Structure formats: structure tokens, C-alpha cells
């Protein structure tokens, strides 16, 4: 007998998803998905994409994307020097990324990160960098695996230039 693993894909959060049963073990991330994400999407504050498996209604994970900007002064000198002297440059913020506690360490976090990268690359609107807010040191280490580095005096904010992401896909 052969068995085929159900397809994994991301799609915009909708009423079809059973968000109440999503449990990342991080209460603010669960609460955001359950109470705020839909409203933020409708108001065009942040888009929310959920990772689902073969038509299952309970998300395995989710992430959000929104437009943001980075002050030139926050970028490391060698990068800033190659940019025009604008006070800020456009960027894309992945404000939240979470995988259900029962589905960790199976590549889903990486899958969603690259899914978000591909959305940014497909976007016709220019974005200089992809930015994330790491909620703690562990989360920062996760992003650093993918060549993210800290913004100067940016607190917990890390970035990777979109030009570097494009090279990862080439
Ligand atoms: C961080 C998180 C999204 C990772 O998701 P995941 O599906 O477990 O991660 P993956 O299975 O895709 O892991 C990809 C790689 O990163 C590593 N990794 C996973 N979590 C990591 C962490 N917290 N720190 C460092 N490395 C990590 C994995 O070991 C794996 O490496 P490997 O391929 O060499 O084994 C998930 O742990 C999570 O939801 N955490 C709680 C919320 C959170 O911290 N969100 C991030 C920022 S707000």
C-alpha cells in the first residue's frame, strides 16, 4: 500500500480556518491569530497567511506581512553607503511567525519563511529589505540561520536585503 503525504500550502487567513485550535504555546501569538489577524487583514494593516495541510481547517502555522520602512541610519554603514541619501528606504515586515507546538522541527518554519520571501520577490512594489521582529534570543537565532542580521540600534529587529533573497532563489 502506498501513502501520499497531504500537500502543504499557504493561503490568506479566512473564516474557513479553525484558528481556535491553533496552539503555538506562545499566548500572544495565538491570541493575535484568534482575535486580531482577520481584522488587521480587512483593514489592510497586515496580511496574514496560514499554512495548511491538504484541506485541513486547523492551521499548522501562520505569518503576517506588512509594509514598513527602515531609516538609513539603522543600516550598517557599508550597505547604507550604496543607497541614495533618502532618510528611509521601503521594507517588508514579517511581524509574526508561529508554528503549532505539535508540528515543530519539521521544516514548517523554514517553509513559511521561504513562502514569505517568494511573495516579496513576486511583488511589483519595491522593497529594499525583509524585516522581522524576533520575540526573544531563540527566535533571533532562528532568523540568523537564514543570514538575517540585526539593524543598528534596532532592538530585536533583524533584516536581510531583498537582493540577497533573490540570490537564494536564483
Ligand atoms: C521559530 C519557529 C517558527 C520555528 O519553526 P519550526 O517549524 O519548528 O522550525 P523548522 O523546523 O523550520 O526549523 C528550521 C531550522 O531552524 C532550526 N530552528 C528551529 N527553531 C529554532 C530556534 N528557535 N532557534 C534556532 N534554530 C531553530 C531547526 O533546528 C532547523 O534546523 P535544521 O534544519 O538544521 O534542523 C517555531 O519554533 C515557533 O513557532 N516558535 C514560537 C514563536 C516564535 O518564536 N516565532 C518567531 C519570531 S516571533
Amino acid at each position: 500500500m502506498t501513502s501520499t503525504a497531504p500537500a502543504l500550502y499557504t493561503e490568506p487567513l479566512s473564516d474557513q480556518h479553525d484558528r481556535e485550535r491553533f496552539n503555538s504555546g506562545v499566548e500572544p501569538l495565538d491570541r493575535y491569530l484568534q482575535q486580531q489577524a482577520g481584522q488587521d487583514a480587512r483593514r489592510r494593516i497586515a496580511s496574514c497567511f496560514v499554512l495548511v495541510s491538504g484541506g485541513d481547517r486547523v492551521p499548522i502555522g501562520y505569518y503576517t506581512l506588512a509594509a514598513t520602512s527602515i531609516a538609513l541610519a539603522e543600516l550598517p554603514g557599508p550597505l547604507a553607503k550604496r543607497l541614495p541619501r533618502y532618510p528611509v528606504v521601503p521594507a517588508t515586515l514579517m511581524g509574526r511567525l508561529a508554528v503549532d507546538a505539535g508540528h515543530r522541527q519539521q521544516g514548517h518554519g523554514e517553509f513559511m519563511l521561504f513562502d514569505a520571501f517568494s511573495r516579496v520577490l513576486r511583488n511589483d512594489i519595491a522593497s529594499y529589505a525583509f524585516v522581522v521582529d524576533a520575540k526573544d534570543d531563540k527566535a533571533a537565532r532562528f532568523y540568523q540561520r537564514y543570514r538575517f542580521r540585526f539593524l543598528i540600534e534596532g532592538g530585536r529587529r533583524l533584516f536581510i536585503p531583498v537582493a540577497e533573497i533573490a540570490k537564494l532563489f536564483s
Side-chain angles (χ1 to χ4, degrees):
M1 204 169 79
T2 55
S3 69
T4 318
L8 274 178
Y9 54 92
T10 62
E11 59 187 10
L13 175 70
S14 76
D15 291 344
Q16 301 304 310
H17 301 117
D18 182 357
R19 53 195 96 174
E20 294 302 321
R21 285 166 61 199
F22 178 78
N23 171 21
S24 70
V26 182
E27 202 268 333
L29 289 173
D30 297 346
R31 189 162 19 95
Y32 179 81
L33 182 68
Q34 285 149 11
Q35 298 177 10
Q36 193 64 37
Q39 210 172 86
D40 279 2
R42 278 192 299 280
R43 292 177 177 161
R44 298 186 178 268
I45 303 295
S47 308
C48 180
F49 299 95
V50 294
L51 178 68
V52 286
S53 166
D56 199 351
R57 292 179 62 238
V58 183
I60 290 174
Y62 81 91
Y63 67 84
T64 61
L65 290 181
T68 188
S69 59
I70 305 177
L72 218 54
E74 287 179 280
L75 288 168
L79 281 184
K81 257 192 236 154
R82 283 188 249 136
L83 292 170
R85 304 277 93 204
Y86 301 143
V88 296
V89 288
T92 302
L93 172 68
M94 188 167 76
R96 294 176 172 84
L97 168 71
V99 171
D100 186 272
H103 292 86
R104 295 268 175 81
Q105 297 291 327
Q106 296 171 40
H108 297 317
E110 179 172 303
F111 182 94
M112 286 195 286
L113 184 61
F114 278 76
D115 188 77
F117 283 169
S118 73
R119 287 182 196 279
V120 173
L121 291 178
R122 291 201 302 269
N123 194 342
D124 288 334
I125 301 170
S127 188
Y128 170 73
F130 188 100
V131 177
V132 293
D133 280 328
K135 70 172 186 56
D136 53 26
D137 290 347
K138 257 174 94 179
R141 280 196 295 278
F142 171 78
Y143 291 120
Q144 283 168 318
R145 296 174 62 92
Y146 303 97
R147 303 194 201 159
F148 280 81
R149 47 234 196 236
F150 279 102
L151 285 172
I152 295 170
E153 299 187 26
R156 299 215 148 269
R157 203 155 257 210
L158 295 96
F159 77 102
I160 178 171
V162 172
E164 281 185 32
I165 296 175
K167 281 190 202 146
L168 293 176
F169 280 74
S170 65

